[in-house]
Amino acid sequence: MNVRHLGQVDYRSTWERMQQFTAARTGETADELWFLEHPPVFTLGMAGRREHLLAPGDIPVVTSDRGGQVTYHGPGQLVVYTLIDLRRAGLGVRDLVTALEQSVIQYAATLGVTASARREAPGVYVAERKLASVGIRIRRGCSYHGVALNVNMDLEPFLRINPCGYAGLAMVQLSDIAAVPEVGVAAAGLQPHLRAALRL
């Protein structure tokens, strides 16, 4: 397992890099976790409907190949891309989604925050507000994309969309409910829970 901390990187070029990595990997290629942030961007999943983009304004919109509807990425949000050979790891798609959700739930618990998942609406929630979003892609038995955890960011752009296709869905971030001031702290805290949940 290789763990990479990439800082703030462009969404489209990082997506292309994930595709290239996945296309080139062999049965011997080590899995990777990429911890990073993106500049402001709205992304639409493969089934994403543009009517959920209410007023994107000056924030670019990228149609991606992940699952799910529309979400927002921006500075102060921890994004973790999971480039994993699922067949080799013995994981199914639902196993991967559950592992991503449970790692965030377990990390939140260490901060005194009670979070939960919803099978009908993937992601992690604190009460009725969404803390983390999940979107993945499987190609040749291998995954990419992953989970986005709101840490300490401007949540206003979420008001410009129906997050994950749900009108009026409220978002929340760790800095509002726990003592987590920045993405680097969250990355260090989340990583062991993520590796344990993925059995990597």
Side-chain angles (χ1 to χ4, degrees):
M1 165 65 70
N2 295 320
V3 178
R4 306 189 188 280
H5 295 269
L6 303 181
Q8 187 176 133
V9 289
D10 173 73
Y11 180 84
R12 189 181 294 274
S13 61
T14 307
W15 169 30
E16 291 171 352
R17 184 177 167 189
M18 286 191 289
Q19 290 177 312
Q20 292 163 2
F21 176 89
T22 303
R25 67 181 302 166
T26 70
E28 304 305 314
T29 303
D31 296 324
E32 299 203 354
L33 296 178
W34 296 358
F35 289 79
L36 54 99
E37 298 172 74
H38 287 307
V41 62
F42 293 115
T43 67
L44 275 170
M46 290 184 294
R49 294 160 53 186
R50 297 195 73 86
E51 58 260 39
H52 292 306
L53 286 161
L54 305 178
D58 58 350
I59 297 176
V61 178
V62 176
T63 300
S64 178
D65 64 349
R66 62 165 174 79
Q69 287 283 335
V70 62
T71 195
Y72 169 71
H73 298 302
Q77 181 188 68
L78 173 62
V79 178
V80 186
Y81 289 141
T82 53
L83 294 94
I84 299 170
D85 186 330
L86 296 181
R87 289 178 295 195
R88 185 174 64 197
L91 296 170
V93 175
R94 185 67 235 180
D95 297 326
L96 175 59
V97 172
T98 298
L100 296 177
E101 293 170 334
Q102 289 302 312
S103 66
V104 173
I105 290 168
Q106 291 159 11
Y107 171 50
T110 69
L111 304 171
V113 174
T114 300
S116 61
R118 301 176 182 174
R119 189 169 183 86
E120 74 282 4
V124 177
Y125 301 81
V126 176
E128 298 301 314
R129 298 181 294 172
K130 194 165 194 177
L131 177 64
S133 301
V134 174
I136 60 172
R137 173 65 188 250
I138 310 299
R139 180 176 294 170
R140 299 171 55 237
C142 300
S143 69
Y144 56 102
H145 295 292
V147 62
L149 171 62
N150 304 331
V151 178
N152 188 4
M153 62 187 300
D154 179 5
L155 295 176
E156 183 276 333
F158 284 107
L159 300 176
R160 306 187 195 184
I161 61 175
N162 291 328
C164 307
Y166 292 93
L169 178 62
M171 308 298 288
V172 68
Q173 58 187 335
L174 284 178
S175 62
D176 291 336
I177 54 178
V180 180
E182 60 184 31
V183 165
V185 173
L190 178 63
Q191 182 174 324
H193 298 283
L194 185 58
R195 294 190 68 155
L198 293 168
R199 305 193 297 272
L200 299 172

